[in-house]
Amino acid sequence: MIIKTLGISTSPRIKGNSDLLLREALAGAESAGAHIEYIHLSDYNIAPCIECNACYTTGTCKIQDDFQQLLKKMLDADRLIFATPIFFMTVCAQAKMLIDRGQCLWANKYILKKQLISTERDRRAMVIAVGGSKSTKQFESIRLTMKTYFDVLQINYVTNLFINKVDGLSEIQKHPSALKEAFRLGKELITAETPLPQKPINVELT
Ligand SMILES: Cc1cc2nc3c(=O)[nH]c(=O)nc-3n(C[C@H](O)[C@H](O)[C@H](O)COP(=O)(O)O)c2cc1C
């Protein structure tokens, strides 16, 4: 079976640090036989959630933009790699706008009690986050946000690659191990056997 792997790069910087790590992780997944697709979120027109609560009754978001197309890809994927820079201690605005539109998924799960994805499916997700400062506390907010998001996306949160003290454009290329780690973890996302880890595997590098 071909494992469909979707990578979403949310940084506004093409060839930014999280973007380069995502590309390596996807290359790792591809080396293990996965079919990969890379998306640069800034190419998609995604408006912020307006809390109209229409999805509480319909299960779908009433804002018509590129979200529907992207959601289909996310629900279709067997593996998802979500990459973000850390902005003010959490995910960047582009990532947050996409995540907040997931409120319609929350409505399906918790209000309408509707299953959008078969529970039989083996879906797994990985997060890549890069910050420029020396703080590692910010990884906690990324973890919480992504855990809540993956819960409504009905995908198992299995891996984190968190890196701090990397700031300049493409500076990650000078890091001694980060790109190799991204490749390895991307590959492992495809090859790792079940049972899944109780908590996400956490790789933190500086
Ligand atoms: C608006 C803004 C806010 C930022 N906030 C943080 C922060 O809270 N913590 C941190 O470690 N780095 C912060 N940074 C630095 C970026 O996380 C850092 O440059 C990172 O390498 C960017 O990743 P990218 O190249 O993938 O976009 C901030 C940068 C910007 C532009």
Side-chain angles (χ1 to χ4, degrees):
M1 189 194 92
I2 300 281
I3 299 179
K4 284 188 247 172
T5 304
L6 179 67
I8 303 182
S9 180
T10 68
S11 170
R13 301 202 287 194
I14 292 183
K15 301 214 174 146
N17 299 308
S18 55
D19 186 63
L20 291 174
L21 288 164
L22 171 64
R23 289 167 194 262
E24 279 303 303
L26 284 173
E30 192 171 35
S31 77
H35 173 272
I36 57 160
E37 181 176 0
Y38 165 91
I39 279 175
H40 189 236
L41 190 57
S42 297
D43 295 337
Y44 286 69
N45 175 31
I46 309 273
C49 172
I50 54 171
E51 203 176 1
C52 65
N53 295 351
C55 60
Y56 288 16
T57 43
T58 63
T60 56
C61 183
K62 77 167 191 189
I63 304 172
Q64 289 302 315
D65 59 11
D66 293 340
F67 173 69
Q68 282 73 17
Q69 183 195 343
L70 191 47
L71 178 62
K72 190 175 176 313
K73 286 179 189 286
M74 287 194 288
L75 295 178
D76 203 32
D78 303 302
R79 302 289 184 271
L80 175 64
I81 310 178
F82 192 99
T84 180
I86 299 176
F87 282 2
F88 285 90
M89 309 298 276
T90 188
V91 298
C92 66
Q94 289 82 352
K96 192 63 167 59
M97 290 212 284
L98 173 61
I99 291 169
D100 288 355
R101 292 288 292 283
Q103 186 69 352
C104 60
L105 300 170
W106 182 89
N108 273 284
K109 183 164 181 183
Y110 292 106
I111 295 181
L112 304 171
K113 316 275 184 214
K114 204 167 133 194
Q115 194 78 29
L116 290 181
I117 294 171
S118 156
T119 49
E120 308 284 288
R121 284 187 61 197
D122 172 17
R123 283 173 27 96
R124 304 180 198 186
M126 166 175 169
V127 175
I128 295 172
V130 184
S133 81
K134 65 177 192 240
S135 165
T136 52
K137 277 194 196 145
Q138 52 202 3
F139 299 152
E140 204 46 48
S141 59
I142 303 276
R143 257 188 219 108
L144 275 173
T145 299
M146 297 314 298
K147 180 175 182 294
T148 311
Y149 186 50
F150 290 154
D151 175 61
V152 297
L153 255 183
Q154 289 176 244
I155 193 162
N156 293 297
Y157 189 179
V158 296
T159 318
N160 286 311
L161 175 58
F162 291 151
I163 300 178
N164 61 347
K165 292 205 252 177
V166 176
D167 215 4
L169 179 67
S170 309
E171 193 186 318
I172 199 73
Q173 283 170 326
K174 295 192 204 132
H175 193 283
S177 59
L179 292 168
K180 275 197 200 111
E181 272 300 84
F183 186 95
R184 181 182 74 78
L185 292 170
K187 186 172 179 183
E188 206 174 276
L189 196 62
I190 308 304
T191 56
E193 309 256 314
T194 47
L196 299 170
Q198 294 280 322
K199 279 180 21 176
I201 295 159
N202 200 50
V203 177
E204 293 185 18
L205 305 173
T206 53

